[in-house]
Amino acid sequence: MSKQIHIRLDDVVYDAITDYNKDNDISMHDTVSNAIMQFLTQKNLEDTPSDVLFRFIDLFAGIGGMRIAFDRAGGKCVYSNEWNKYSQQTYFANFGEQPEGDITKVDENSIPDHDVLVAGFPCQPFSIAGVAKKNSLGRATGFEDKTQGTLFFDICRILKAKRPKAFMLENVKNLKSHDKGRTFKVITESLEELDYEVFHAVLDGQNYVPQHRERILIIGFDRKRYGKDIDFHFDLTPVKPKPIIKDILEPKVDDKYTLSDKLWSYLQNYAAKHRAAGNGFGYGIADPNGVSRTLSARYYKDGSEILIEQKGKNPRRLTPRECARLQGFPDDFVIPVSDTQAYKQFGNSVVVPLMADVAQLVVKKMKELDDRNND
């Protein structure tokens, strides 16, 4: 839902904006809308209280799951970056800030000072060949050689320029095994070359929400500030009692979420075909007293990985609000986009209470290290 406004511009201003639009191939609507949101974002950032525990930045921010986690730990977000326009829309609706776009074009020195860098970065292939060649020639390689051309490189250059006290990175579990472990080796070596003590663990969200969702978290603390004598453990505090699927279900759901006869028949036939071939592919009916499969960004296509059984009806997919709950987002989290975009956004997001638990541990360790330095 949107509203219209009418504004008057002096001719010289209108001509300048028109030229800008032509040069950047964008519409007048987008230019004016972005300018207003940037103004509101700046106003929100200027309202930062002086007594916040720490400041953090939110990179590859998505819809702000990691931000909520660090907000709860007592921090203040001073910068966010997310390129997807629909995710930007959801982010703005909930935090009053428009994340900056394309991180590859951002000057790292322009980013505000911060204590913690937070990023749910995409996993991209790394070129190992160039590194191997340099090694064979006896030449030193650093993160710039190893990671140039990947979005992980942008994290590294920001860490190098701003040197936050700590960072927390999130990615899919398979990052550790990607390219026979070489990708993960490049990542950890690059972070260590930047003089950070690095810790990592694969964690499952099912102790916080009723969803089996494994993700890798990579934590780092600045050796230049704290030295090498740093110890960190993922001592988590799971939710009790353990959440189950029926905890997140809405009492009344629109019939549009019920699978059509055609789609339900297709999914059943597809599953039968793969069962006959000895494969495990197929739809998943969620146990109301158990946990679901992993919610993915493809959920909008047919909802097959997590279906809810209904008496006298075909199964249904989860509603966007139920997907939000499955990821641990609070019920007052605003969903301003279409169902299709919402499914993509929540499927790409994080388990908020798990991230909040780890964020508390990072902040606690940071305070311990700061206190040790001040002794």
Side-chain angles (χ1 to χ4, degrees):
M1 190 173 180
S2 60
K3 292 181 172 60
Q4 289 188 346
I5 62 170
H6 298 275
I7 59 174
R8 293 180 181 275
L9 298 174
D10 291 337
D11 287 347
V12 64
V13 176
Y14 181 85
D15 291 343
I17 294 177
T18 300
D19 290 341
Y20 175 85
N21 293 344
K22 287 179 180 176
D23 292 342
N24 292 277
D25 192 27
I26 57 177
S27 67
M28 180 68 76
H29 169 270
D30 286 342
T31 300
V32 175
S33 180
N34 286 340
I36 293 170
M37 286 193 284
Q38 286 172 15
F39 166 77
L40 294 172
T41 297
Q42 189 58 41
K43 179 72 172 62
N44 191 39
L45 292 174
E46 288 170 358
D47 291 339
T48 303
S50 59
D51 60 346
V52 294
L53 291 179
F54 63 94
R55 290 167 170 76
F56 69 96
I57 63 171
D58 191 14
L59 307 180
F60 309 102
I63 57 175
M66 297 278 268
R67 176 177 178 143
I68 294 173
F70 279 85
D71 281 346
R72 289 178 181 174
K76 169 66 180 180
C77 185
V78 295
Y79 174 82
S80 58
N81 190 287
E82 168 57 46
W83 71 272
N84 182 273
K85 68 176 183 178
Y86 298 108
S87 294
Q88 286 181 337
Q89 188 179 343
T90 300
Y91 200 98
F92 185 84
N94 286 280
F95 305 107
E97 296 171 21
Q98 168 90 347
E100 193 168 7
D102 193 350
I103 196 167
T104 65
K105 297 178 181 177
V106 174
D107 176 4
E108 59 269 27
N109 296 299
S110 71
I111 293 175
D113 292 340
H114 52 279
D115 302 298
V116 185
L117 179 150
V118 179
F121 70 102
C123 173
Q124 295 171 279
F126 288 80
S127 175
I128 308 299
V131 176
K133 183 178 180 181
K134 284 197 173 186
N135 285 338
S136 69
L137 296 173
R139 296 179 187 170
T141 62
F143 78 87
E144 284 150 332
D145 294 308
K146 295 176 182 177
T147 65
Q148 187 82 56
T150 70
L151 293 172
F152 178 70
F153 169 77
D154 297 288
I155 293 174
C156 290
R157 65 184 176 87
I158 294 168
L159 285 172
K160 184 178 181 182
K162 306 304 296 188
R163 292 220 66 85
K165 296 177 181 180
F167 63 76
M168 177 166 151
L169 312 180
E170 180 268 347
N171 210 297
V172 295
K173 170 191 173 183
N174 291 341
L175 179 68
K176 280 195 76 173
S177 57
H178 183 266
D179 195 18
K180 299 181 179 178
R182 296 188 190 99
T183 296
F184 191 68
K185 187 170 184 283
V186 168
I187 287 170
T188 53
E189 285 182 351
S190 299
L191 295 169
E192 286 166 356
E193 284 171 9
L194 288 168
D195 234 347
Y196 281 87
E197 194 74 14
V198 180
F199 307 87
H200 60 84
V202 174
L203 305 175
D204 194 336
Q206 67 175 311
N207 290 315
Y208 299 82
V209 296
Q211 177 192 183
H212 173 59
R213 189 181 191 87
E214 290 183 301
R215 289 294 184 269
I216 189 165
L217 287 180
I218 307 170
I219 310 292
F221 297 94
D222 183 10
R223 289 176 185 153
K224 289 185 177 179
R225 182 182 272 106
Y226 299 128
K228 293 186 178 181
D229 183 21
I230 303 171
D231 196 18
F232 179 81
H233 301 280
F234 292 86
D235 296 324
L236 303 178
T237 310
V239 174
K240 292 184 180 180
K242 188 173 179 178
I244 56 177
I245 283 292
K246 65 182 179 184
D247 293 336
I248 65 142
L249 300 181
E250 296 187 87
K252 191 175 181 181
V253 174
D254 194 299
D255 284 341
K256 70 179 181 179
Y257 297 105
T258 296
L259 301 189
S260 68
D261 290 340
K262 182 178 180 181
L263 177 55
W264 180 223
S265 177
Y266 167 78
L267 291 177
Q268 289 176 298
N269 291 335
Y270 181 85
K273 181 176 73 173
H274 280 282
R275 271 198 305 273
N279 299 325
F281 300 111
Y283 62 86
I285 301 289
D287 178 357
N289 295 305
V291 300
S292 74
R293 294 180 179 179
T294 301
L295 180 70
S296 72
R298 71 166 298 283
Y299 191 75
Y300 75 95
K301 291 184 177 180
D302 54 29
S304 62
E305 62 259 44
I306 308 172
L307 295 173
I308 305 301
E309 205 161 38
Q310 301 185 103
K311 288 183 180 179
K313 287 183 179 180
N314 295 342
R316 68 171 179 87
R317 68 186 72 195
L318 296 171
T319 68
R321 178 57 63 193
E322 290 169 338
C323 289
R325 291 174 178 173
L326 195 64
Q327 292 282 46
F329 282 81
D331 274 356
D332 62 359
F333 189 83
V334 180
I335 307 174
V337 293
S338 68
D339 283 3
T340 295
Q341 290 301 327
Y343 286 136
K344 290 180 181 179
Q345 290 175 5
F346 290 116
N348 277 326
S349 193
V350 295
V351 173
V352 174
L354 169 57
M355 299 301 143
D357 199 353
V358 180
Q360 291 281 0
L361 296 175
V362 172
V363 173
K364 180 182 177 184
K365 176 57 64 175
M366 203 164 57
K367 185 178 185 305
E368 287 176 8
L369 294 170
D370 283 336
D371 289 345
R372 187 178 74 181
N373 274 7
N374 294 330
D375 286 346

